[in-house]
Amino acid sequence: MQLRPQIQIQTIIKAMMEDVIPALDQTNQLAMQSAQLTIGTLTMIAQHLPLEYRYDCDELARLIDAAAKLREQAQGGTQTEQAVLALRAALESGREVLDRARAEPSEIVEAVGLLRRATGDTVRAVYAESEPSVRDAVDATVLEVSKEQLLRDRSWLLMQGWEPDPGAVPAVETLLRPVGAV
Amino acid sequence: MTVIDKDKPSPEWIAQMRKRFKVEREIDRALTFKLEKRAGPAYSKLPLDTLVEGVRSLIASQYGEPFDIRNPHWLAGGASKLQMRFDLNWNRPGVGRETTRMVLRNDLAEALHATSRAREFQIVNALKGTLPVPPVFWYDNTGEHLPYPGIVYGFAEGVTKPSNAKSGVSGLGTYMPEDVRNKLAPQFVENMARLHTFDFRQAELSAFDIPQTGTENAHWAVNWWDRVWEEDADEEVPLVALASSWLHKHAPAVEQLSVVHGDFRTGNYLFDESDCRITTWLDWELARIGDRHQDLAWSTSRAFATMAEDGKTLLVSGLMPEPQFLEAYEQASGLSVDRKSLHYYQVFNAYAMVGMTLGTSYRVARNGKSHQDVLLAWLLGVGYMLLDEMRDLIEKGP
């Protein structure tokens, strides 16, 4: 997916700064302040977006360490015992989730890119030197995988309004498998 | 694996692109010009005075008499050009002293197409008297006078859609009311027929290379967009690799070459709203000498179609159903429509548009090279619908 928030935010900020803000009534303080805050917020989102997942995993790892210590340290009455039980459950759940969170989102995108390039190169090579029967088989595989992926791409961008028959495109939530089920 | 930085292309990589993809000489020049400038600065807002001075320098370099530029102002519209309206007071050859309304169409640091102003100038001049085209006066092919390459046209009167009509960005999906389309449709067909039967061999078109009849023109066309994809795209798409290979493998032979507009659709002509007469055909920058089926297929693309009032009839370029369009074209031109070639160029056109949107739009917006990066980033999204159209066409066959 080429249309990602990074490039969208970058172009929105440029349009705001070069076209929208200069056209505003410069004496309208509310409008000027809101426009500046819009740019500031978008700039912050652009900075945070690539790090958000790492940020959360980092916090989870430190909380797991702290919870492990607390589990040993916390002693007291019934109330403390119940709290430690809940802490232990949360600790195990957190460890299990962190254990599965082994790849950075950027690594997933890189792996997708690598496979896309390798697939494209294979297609070109087959067309350059293989038998028609091999070519036909490769065509069928690429067309099939493209069909499934493009359905998701089109659904992802449905609100842009490009589809002649938007009702025929399922909602993207129904098309994406949960990460654990992949 | 060697990583190519397409934002800062090296001279070696540029040379490799030029060698790898055989395209017409002037297209090669325009694409090379784009790459050589790419590492340069992003586009920043130009003052109107800069364009006025550029136009003054351009006119003075080619016109020896006194002249005066009056009333310059920005003209809205155009995702890939800056446009300035102005009045030129001059001694117009063959007319005498007059004030002529003119338009400068100026390129940006980079845009949706890297094309040639010399080709645009020549083809519009050549078609004068054959099709309604605007007068064209001067051009700057390399940004010698203007900040970027540009071309000066006479101002053309008319509208691209009825005042109360709806359309998407860049005139896509323009809805024409029935009474309007009934008047425009026959002219649309007639104009296309005249274009495709125009005797280009007698015209001054030195910026165009004429392919051999047969498949050469198709390979040149595919190479053009192969090169654009290679130079601009960030993310590989396996279906694009498949489409490119498929297009080279299935290139159809053409017996009669034609001038092809390259963007023949509603949104690229002006008409007089009072009588619905087409007054001007615009946007000739993708024109080439090739196969008429390229234009026929372009006009019939889903991307430019609208639905009729019955909710089930898709109208070619918002004007008429496809069977009616093709039949009328054959009658008007005396040229046949070959279904296999039409299908081939439908795949080709989707391929070219995928290159423009997913490839070029991305690269231009990423590097901040245009005045409407936000629009180009938005346009990127249509690439997936086009990819799916292309996939469907290849899968189903002619």
Side-chain angles (χ1 to χ4, degrees):
Chain A
M1 172 50 65
Q2 191 77 88
L3 188 51
R4 289 179 182 274
Q6 285 83 350
I7 193 164
Q8 292 174 297
I9 293 169
Q10 175 196 320
T11 57
I12 294 166
I13 290 172
K14 188 178 175 197
M16 285 291 294
M17 290 178 71
E18 294 190 354
D19 303 325
V20 179
I21 291 182
L24 289 177
D25 175 0
Q26 305 291 308
T27 63
N28 184 332
Q29 289 188 357
L30 179 62
M32 290 302 290
Q33 186 186 55
S34 296
Q36 296 293 350
L37 282 169
T38 301
I39 290 175
T41 306
L42 285 169
T43 306
M44 192 166 73
I45 292 171
Q47 283 176 2
H48 288 172
L49 210 53
L51 294 173
E52 200 173 60
Y53 182 77
R54 193 186 297 186
Y55 189 97
D56 291 333
C57 287
D58 177 71
E59 182 180 5
L60 181 56
R62 277 180 293 96
L63 280 170
I64 285 169
D65 289 346
K69 283 182 191 162
L70 281 176
R71 190 184 55 184
E72 301 303 322
Q73 293 164 342
Q75 289 179 6
T78 314
Q79 194 180 341
T80 307
E81 273 177 24
Q82 283 179 346
V84 168
L85 271 177
L87 181 69
R88 179 177 295 169
L91 172 63
E92 282 164 12
S93 162
R95 275 184 173 150
E96 192 269 330
V97 168
L98 190 63
D99 190 51
R100 281 192 285 119
R102 290 179 182 279
E104 295 260 3
S106 61
E107 290 179 291
I108 306 280
V109 175
E110 278 169 29
V112 167
L114 192 64
L115 268 167
R116 280 170 169 264
R117 278 194 296 279
T119 306
D121 289 345
T122 304
V123 170
R124 289 190 187 92
V126 162
Y127 261 85
E129 57 189 29
S130 299
E131 296 293 317
S133 60
V134 177
R135 217 168 51 223
D136 290 348
V138 166
D139 276 1
T141 301
V142 173
L143 290 171
E144 187 186 340
V145 72
S146 301
K147 185 176 186 174
E148 285 300 316
Q149 183 56 40
L150 284 167
L151 184 62
R152 284 149 182 81
D153 294 336
R154 289 161 51 215
S155 178
W156 188 250
L157 300 170
L158 200 55
M159 66 80 60
Q160 278 197 304
W162 306 116
E163 292 292 330
D165 184 8
V169 182
V172 75
E173 296 85 346
T174 65
L175 294 169
L176 301 179
R177 286 175 290 188
V179 173
V182 173
Chain B
M1 186 189 297
T2 312
V3 178
I4 304 295
D5 184 353
K6 295 183 180 180
D7 295 331
K8 296 182 182 63
S10 67
E12 294 75 25
W13 188 68
I14 296 173
Q16 197 187 323
M17 291 296 102
R18 300 186 67 191
K19 191 174 170 192
R20 194 169 144 197
F21 302 103
K22 161 73 182 155
V23 295
E24 291 181 62
R25 286 165 299 169
E26 183 61 11
I27 290 169
D28 170 49
R29 190 205 58 75
L31 291 173
T32 304
F33 183 82
K34 168 195 77 176
L35 285 182
E36 288 174 344
K37 300 275 181 193
R38 180 168 284 169
Y43 171 79
S44 59
K45 259 195 184 330
L46 288 170
L48 195 62
D49 284 350
T50 305
L51 291 188
V52 173
E53 285 316 305
V55 167
R56 196 186 309 283
S57 168
L58 172 63
I59 297 174
S61 72
Q62 296 175 36
Y63 174 73
E65 296 184 40
F67 64 90
D68 190 21
I69 295 172
R70 297 172 183 169
N71 191 27
H73 55 276
W74 294 111
L75 193 61
S80 56
K81 295 279 182 292
L82 286 174
Q83 300 194 105
M84 179 183 79
R85 269 272 315 265
F86 63 97
D87 298 330
L88 184 72
N89 184 262
W90 63 320
N91 187 11
R92 185 171 181 176
V95 177
R97 198 87 207 163
E98 71 160 23
T99 299
T100 313
R101 289 190 297 166
M102 296 194 175
V103 177
L104 166 71
R105 282 170 56 80
N106 207 86
D107 290 359
L108 300 151
E110 271 189 51
L112 207 50
H113 316 121
T115 51
S116 160
R117 302 291 70 77
R119 284 167 70 96
E120 190 178 344
F121 182 87
Q122 287 184 357
I123 197 70
V124 172
N125 254 336
L127 288 166
K128 213 184 310 173
T130 300
L131 278 190
V133 287
V136 58
F137 295 101
W138 303 281
Y139 69 97
D140 176 358
N141 213 25
T142 57
E144 185 185 347
H145 303 279
L146 294 156
Y148 307 109
I151 188 164
V152 177
Y153 280 104
F155 181 75
E157 298 282 357
V159 294
T160 54
K161 59 180 180 178
S163 312
N164 55 356
K166 288 180 187 164
S167 76
V169 291
S170 279
L172 304 184
T174 301
Y175 170 76
M176 297 285 191
E178 193 172 4
D179 59 327
V180 174
R181 63 182 190 250
N182 284 345
K183 290 177 185 162
L184 289 174
Q187 300 173 72
F188 185 89
V189 173
E190 176 66 30
N191 285 182
M192 186 187 272
R194 267 191 269 151
L195 176 66
H196 292 166
T197 50
F198 171 68
D199 182 7
F200 62 85
R201 292 182 194 274
Q202 305 305 317
E204 158 42 20
L205 292 172
S206 56
F208 292 75
D209 294 339
I210 301 175
Q212 305 287 325
T213 51
T215 61
E216 188 174 46
N217 98 87
H219 288 296
W220 285 3
V222 180
N223 284 341
W224 180 352
W225 297 102
D226 283 348
R227 180 167 164 182
V228 166
W229 180 258
E230 196 66 30
E231 291 175 349
D232 295 350
D234 177 59
E235 185 177 73
E236 173 68 285
V237 177
L239 185 61
V240 168
L242 173 65
S244 167
S245 304
W246 186 95
L247 285 164
H248 282 293
K249 197 87 191 168
H250 294 86
V254 62
E255 297 311 316
Q256 181 174 331
L257 292 162
S258 302
V259 171
V260 172
H261 180 282
D263 196 3
F264 203 99
R265 64 174 170 92
T266 290
N268 277 340
Y269 57 81
L270 300 178
F271 64 96
D272 184 330
E273 209 172 350
S274 65
D275 60 3
C276 294
R277 182 177 48 85
I278 292 180
T279 56
T280 316
W281 277 92
L282 305 168
D283 281 4
W284 290 90
E285 60 183 313
L286 293 171
R288 55 186 285 269
I289 294 164
D291 189 326
R292 61 187 179 277
H293 292 91
Q294 184 182 334
D295 275 342
L296 286 163
W298 188 268
S299 300
T300 56
S301 168
R302 251 194 271 170
F304 310 131
T306 53
M307 198 63 84
E309 292 76 5
D310 64 6
K312 54 187 178 186
T313 309
L314 211 54
L315 301 172
V316 168
S317 222
L319 296 176
M320 72 196 104
E322 186 174 314
Q324 191 183 321
F325 166 64
L326 296 176
E327 190 186 332
Y329 172 82
E330 284 187 323
Q331 279 181 1
S333 66
L335 298 168
S336 61
V337 177
D338 179 89
R339 293 285 164 176
K340 215 169 165 183
S341 293
L342 186 66
H343 170 262
Y344 175 88
Y345 279 101
Q346 283 169 339
V347 176
F348 168 80
N349 288 334
Y351 181 67
M353 283 192 276
V354 164
M356 288 176 212
T357 52
L358 285 180
T360 307
S361 281
Y362 168 81
R363 186 66 52 188
V364 175
R366 174 191 161 87
N367 289 328
K369 294 282 189 177
S370 88
H371 65 320
Q372 285 190 305
D373 293 341
V374 71
L375 171 61
L376 291 177
W378 182 264
L379 278 176
L380 212 158
V382 77
Y384 296 95
M385 191 269 279
L386 295 166
L387 269 175
D388 200 47
E389 181 180 358
M390 185 169 79
R391 180 202 57 75
D392 196 42
L393 284 163
I394 293 175
E395 194 170 74
K396 286 184 179 153

